[in-house]
Amino acid sequence: MIKLCKLRIIVLEEMVMHDSFLQEWGLDVTKDATPDPATANCTEFLLGKGVVNLKTPLEKTIAAIFTLGALTPSVQLCPFLAAELRMLPSFRADSHPYRNWIKMYTSESHQELAVKTEELLEKLSVTLTGDGIDVLYNLYHQAMILEIDLFNSQPFAQPTVVPVIKGLSTAEDRLMFLSNFDLTCTVHDSSATLAEMTLGTAPKSDCSPSGSEHSPSESPLARMSLSELRNMWKDISKQYTQDYEECIESIIPPEKVEFNHSSLVQALEQVADFEKKANSRVIKSGVLRGLKLEDIIKAGKNLILQDGCIGFYQKLTQINVVVNVHMLSYCWCGDLIRSSLSSVGFDHSNVHANELIFNEERLSTGEMVLKVESPIEKLQIYNHILKNDADERNKLTVYVGDCMGDILCLIEADIGIVIGSSESLRRVGSRFGVTFAPLFAATVRKQKEVTDGGSLKWKGTRSGVLYTVSCWAEIHAFLLGW
């Protein structure tokens, strides 16, 4: 209760500051303004969550938790937005029209309020049951959506660069959206999934259940015990990591250089040689023999994808602009990708990956049709896709990736978006003169250009500038809006 009272005092101080902002701007909300629907929805939601006739300490605690759940998005979002605005290169503390609003929400007390509120919510929510947690989740989620709608509903007096899709003509333009799969769309690498599947099908010992020896006609995988198979995967993984680090070290310039596309491609040819040798070791080891196609398809449907990834692809199929979607991946098994994206109607022919070879019994032979092994091959496939699209429409190409294998496609695209925080990608890219810019800050700069008479078009092919995001929600908002 003491903590809640302290938080309440800060909120009351915030309301007083809001009154001072109105006085500064010469506004009287009782005469000059009518709340727009998004603002009304937000305030009505918060006011409608009051709980009356609380009798027991437990009821009061639960009421406090739900109240915090509904308020936390607002408490977090304003300081976050203020901090983002303050870090923009164009921010001027002496002339910005919202300088006092930004100053208030970037103050130590409000930054602390955001942290303390979330900490208190986490601590109190431990007491909730499953149903209570569901209620809290729904309150939090609904409150955050309403807060976003509130900011998103504000009128603009000039053309806006986001969402990007609004700048495309349904008759003249086409969106080409290309993406990596592993760790871009997924939480875990698909090679780890396939490894786990082989371990799950391996015998516990070198002998069959009856105690007899396996016949020579059986596949090497069937004769490999669980411990042997586990050790083999461990050795493959260890050698890959060690050789990859050595390869990266060998291609990095001793000092940062100016961006030069040709020099970067030349260096990445060494990475291509390394990746092909690594795949050759996997095939030669036979660790992927014996996997059932039906099990792979089932595993694909159960892959854990990044938050917001499926929602983005579903929304992508609903927009009015013509869209071509392709997936470019090092994955050893394209069927795994096709299965994981089946719920969004992904065109199977647009999955570009390596393919496991299956026999007539739909069991993997351990061999692969190797199509995508390196950054060089990814770029070749990327260029082939664009060349084959003979449509006369103007094309805006967007590529989303997370690793070294994506860097050439990211640079080639009009908008290259890096998701996640791959150390090797950023390290190599930076040394070769590639610039990594937060997408939010870049969008604000682009908006300023448009406001000053610049073009809405995002065309940055081979500019050496890539845009960074932390999640699919940023990509969704940037390209498609809400």
Side-chain angles (χ1 to χ4, degrees):
M1 291 302 297
I2 292 174
K3 290 182 177 179
L4 285 173
C5 287
K6 289 181 178 179
L7 295 178
R8 185 173 183 271
I9 290 172
I10 297 177
V11 172
L12 291 173
E13 292 173 350
E14 177 181 334
M15 295 174 70
V16 172
M17 286 294 294
H18 282 185
D19 288 339
S20 70
F21 297 155
L22 296 178
Q23 293 174 11
E24 177 186 342
W25 298 327
L27 296 176
D28 182 352
V29 293
T30 63
K31 298 178 181 179
D32 300 336
T34 300
D36 67 89
T39 303
N41 289 340
C42 191
T43 55
E44 287 171 6
F45 168 79
L46 294 174
L47 292 172
K49 298 306 168 187
V51 182
V52 295
N53 297 324
L54 302 176
K55 298 178 180 179
T56 68
L58 178 59
E59 288 177 339
K60 294 178 180 180
T61 300
I62 293 176
I65 297 171
F66 289 166
T67 302
L68 279 173
L71 284 171
T72 299
S74 175
V75 173
Q76 291 176 314
L77 191 58
C78 290
F80 169 79
L81 291 175
E84 291 288 321
L85 290 168
R86 189 174 185 177
M87 289 189 296
L88 293 176
S90 60
F91 175 72
R92 297 290 181 268
D94 58 342
S95 60
H96 197 286
Y98 299 121
R99 58 188 178 279
N100 287 333
W101 186 91
I102 294 172
K103 180 179 179 181
M104 181 184 78
Y105 280 111
T106 54
S107 66
E108 185 176 336
S109 63
H110 275 82
Q111 295 295 324
E112 182 182 0
L113 173 64
V115 174
K116 294 296 184 182
T117 302
E118 186 169 7
E119 287 178 351
L120 185 58
L121 180 62
E122 290 286 341
K123 184 175 181 179
L124 290 176
S125 62
V126 174
T127 64
L128 295 177
T129 62
D131 289 342
I133 291 174
D134 289 342
V135 172
L136 178 61
Y137 173 87
N138 290 331
L139 284 171
Y140 185 98
H141 184 264
Q142 187 177 355
M144 183 61 83
I145 294 299
L146 290 171
E147 287 287 339
I148 292 173
D149 287 344
L150 183 149
F151 282 99
N152 204 34
S153 69
Q154 304 311 307
F156 292 94
Q158 71 278 336
T160 58
V161 300
V162 289
V164 171
I165 200 69
K166 282 189 176 180
L168 302 181
S169 166
T170 57
E172 300 174 358
D173 299 322
R174 176 191 294 272
L175 174 63
M176 304 290 291
F177 185 85
L178 307 98
S179 170
N180 181 41
F181 183 69
D182 286 321
L183 302 181
T184 297
C185 296
T186 66
V187 173
H188 306 291
D189 194 282
S190 63
S191 60
T193 299
L194 293 170
E196 287 296 326
M197 291 178 65
T198 63
L199 294 174
T201 59
K204 302 300 180 183
S205 67
D206 292 329
C207 297
S208 65
S210 62
S212 61
E213 294 293 327
H214 290 288
S215 68
S217 63
E218 290 182 303
S219 70
L221 181 59
R223 297 197 306 271
M224 195 182 300
S225 70
L226 178 62
S227 60
E228 289 172 330
L229 188 58
R230 183 180 288 114
N231 288 335
M232 184 168 288
W233 276 116
K234 184 177 180 180
D235 291 342
I236 289 173
S237 176
K238 182 178 179 180
Q239 186 170 4
Y240 180 90
T241 302
Q242 179 178 326
D243 292 352
Y244 181 77
E245 291 174 354
E246 291 176 358
C247 179
I248 295 302
E249 287 297 327
S250 69
I251 68 171
I252 293 179
E255 296 182 358
K256 183 176 179 178
V257 298
E258 292 292 325
F259 175 68
N260 184 291
H261 186 264
S262 299
S263 298
L264 180 59
V265 171
Q266 186 176 359
L268 290 176
E269 288 175 350
Q270 299 179 50
V271 177
D273 292 338
F274 155 76
E275 293 287 3
K276 291 178 180 180
K277 290 177 182 177
N279 281 337
S280 178
R281 283 197 299 269
V282 173
I283 294 173
K284 187 176 180 180
S285 71
V287 290
L288 294 173
R289 288 194 186 110
L291 286 175
K292 295 181 180 179
L293 178 58
E294 60 187 80
D295 290 340
I296 290 175
I297 293 174
K298 182 178 180 181
K301 293 182 183 299
N302 293 324
L303 279 181
I304 302 174
L305 301 184
Q306 297 279 0
D307 286 345
C309 179
I310 287 295
F312 171 81
Y313 279 107
Q314 288 173 336
K315 182 68 175 291
L316 202 58
T317 64
Q318 301 168 7
I319 62 178
N320 294 327
V321 176
V322 177
V323 183
N324 276 11
V325 184
H326 292 263
M327 192 71 65
L328 285 64
S329 174
Y330 283 180
C331 179
W332 292 326
C333 183
D335 291 301
L336 195 70
I337 300 176
R338 288 185 278 271
S339 175
S340 70
L341 297 174
S342 59
S343 64
V344 294
F346 202 92
D347 188 337
H348 286 189
S349 66
N350 288 352
V351 172
H352 312 273
N354 303 305
E355 303 288 350
L356 277 176
I357 298 175
F358 297 91
N359 61 21
E360 56 277 0
E361 297 176 343
R362 292 161 65 92
L363 296 176
S364 167
T365 65
E367 298 289 328
M368 283 184 248
V369 178
L370 295 170
K371 300 178 180 179
V372 193
E373 297 186 86
S374 71
I376 306 296
E377 288 177 340
K378 273 198 175 185
L379 180 60
Q380 290 171 347
I381 293 171
Y382 174 98
N383 289 330
H384 181 73
I385 291 170
L386 265 63
K387 183 179 179 180
N388 279 0
D389 189 333
D391 196 297
E392 294 299 323
R393 290 180 174 88
N394 300 317
K395 297 177 180 66
L396 177 69
T397 59
V398 179
Y399 189 95
V400 179
D402 74 283
C403 63
M404 272 293 301
D406 299 310
I407 189 167
L408 293 180
C409 292
L410 287 164
I411 291 171
E412 197 71 19
D414 295 323
I415 305 175
I417 301 177
V418 179
I419 189 170
S421 55
S422 169
E423 181 181 351
S424 59
L425 170 61
R426 293 178 186 249
R427 187 180 177 201
V428 172
S430 296
R431 284 293 185 92
F432 278 94
V434 176
T435 301
F436 295 89
L439 181 60
F440 175 76
T443 303
V444 174
R445 285 196 295 270
K446 181 66 175 176
Q447 181 64 57
K448 189 174 186 302
E449 291 177 15
V450 171
T451 304
D452 293 339
S455 172
L456 278 170
K457 299 293 184 182
W458 287 78
K459 289 285 183 180
T461 306
R462 293 192 182 180
S463 65
V465 178
L466 303 180
Y467 305 110
T468 61
V469 299
S470 60
C471 61
W472 277 90
E474 289 187 66
I475 300 172
H476 193 142
F478 172 69
L479 289 175
L480 308 178
W482 286 102

